[in-house]
Amino acid sequence: SPGFESANTCVALLNAQADSWLDVPSLNLNTNTVTITAWINPSGAEGAGWGLFMWRGTNGDAAGLGFGTTVNTNTGVAELGYTWDNNSPSTYNFHSGLYAPLGQWSLVALTITPTNSTLYLYYTDGSSVTNVSKAVQTIANSPEAFSGGTIRIGSDNYSGRNFNGSMDEVAIFNQSLSESQIQNLFQVGSGITGVAPVITSDISPTNVNTFAGLTLTMTANGDGMPVPGFQWQAGSGGVFTNLANGSGVS
């Protein structure tokens, strides 16, 4: 990749191999403003709950980035997932719908704020199409310690939850990186300069009847590089009025 050193190396991991992970010392983060990033290249099946960067405390707490509960039946790779908020099922059961491709490098990231969690998946596929996708969960996130217990790169502290494939440039930041900052990491590593914006989910709600003067909230998700802006319009007879401007989710 044009953004990496010519002598850059990665680590290869196997799910069925004992001790196939990297141990990390206690980080003592104690915060709910965190970002975890990694470049991954899956070489085989990635099951539900397998770990990419996971901490498990001695008191049953857990937090980190890994794979979720739904597996792509065509590739055998589970969707990206995460765990937070004292090992809450509301986090590890979140359906991101983001599936890393087999046999190629992707940048994956998890950003935690006090009010939401965002998973990112960026990669260029075999037809040279660049995909930039994210999944956002609005949820209250409490601080996590990442102290004591185990912290592992490429695994979770459970039998059979090792990552299959190669990993590189794993990093954890004690701040919530913006979408633009995540995109910059991908652009530097991949050499990609930009991606045309696309709407990645339907506008909702639709076909809503309401009364004049009442508030109506509508949501649409869009992705692109740089982060696209949004503009809502309403009107009839060819005459439209701008309603609001924003970025991310409007």
Side-chain angles (χ1 to χ4, degrees):
S1 181
F4 293 99
E5 311 90 341
S6 59
N8 182 70
T9 58
C10 61
V11 61
L13 305 166
L14 294 172
N15 177 259
Q17 180 67 47
D19 300 325
S20 184
W21 60 75
L22 300 176
D23 289 317
V24 179
S26 291
L27 300 175
N28 301 313
L29 290 176
N30 298 310
T31 183
N32 54 357
T33 55
V34 176
T35 303
I36 302 171
T37 65
W39 286 83
I40 66 170
N41 188 338
S43 60
E46 310 292 350
W50 293 8
L52 290 171
F53 187 99
M54 285 294 302
W55 165 68
R56 285 198 174 268
T58 56
N59 60 352
D61 198 357
L65 171 65
F67 292 92
T69 57
T70 302
V71 178
N72 185 317
T73 56
N74 293 322
T75 65
V77 177
E79 63 188 344
L80 286 181
Y82 79 105
T83 301
W84 207 266
D85 198 25
N86 196 28
N87 200 17
S88 170
S90 296
T91 62
Y92 60 71
N93 286 327
F94 172 61
H95 293 296
S96 72
L98 304 179
Y99 296 93
L102 279 170
Q104 61 190 71
W105 287 99
S106 303
L107 175 68
V108 297
L110 166 68
T111 298
I112 297 291
T113 78
T115 57
N116 63 64
S117 310
T118 305
L119 288 161
Y120 296 94
L121 173 64
Y122 295 166
Y123 65 94
T124 300
D125 65 21
S127 59
S128 298
V129 174
T130 300
N131 298 270
V132 289
S133 303
K134 66 178 181 289
V136 182
Q137 182 180 30
T138 301
I139 188 172
N141 289 314
S142 59
E144 292 287 8
F146 284 82
S147 176
T150 61
I151 305 175
R152 290 179 177 174
I153 292 174
S155 184
D156 191 358
N157 189 18
Y158 269 97
S159 177
R161 289 191 178 182
N162 299 348
F163 173 69
N164 265 330
S166 300
M167 297 184 67
D168 198 8
E169 305 294 327
V170 180
I172 185 163
F173 303 82
N174 63 348
Q175 59 180 296
S176 305
L177 297 186
S178 67
E179 184 172 1
S180 295
Q181 289 173 307
I182 299 292
Q183 289 184 355
N184 184 64
L185 292 176
F186 177 70
Q187 287 178 279
V188 171
S190 65
I192 299 297
T193 58
V195 178
V198 295
I199 300 297
T200 56
S201 65
D202 293 333
I203 296 174
S204 63
T206 59
N207 300 321
V208 176
N209 294 317
T210 188
F211 295 99
L214 296 181
T215 298
L216 174 64
T217 300
M218 303 183 71
T219 301
N221 292 309
D223 295 304
M225 286 196 309
V227 180
F230 292 80
Q231 185 176 76
W232 293 96
Q233 291 183 320
S236 61
V239 178
F240 294 89
T241 301
N242 292 333
L243 299 179
N245 296 297
S247 62
V249 179
S250 298

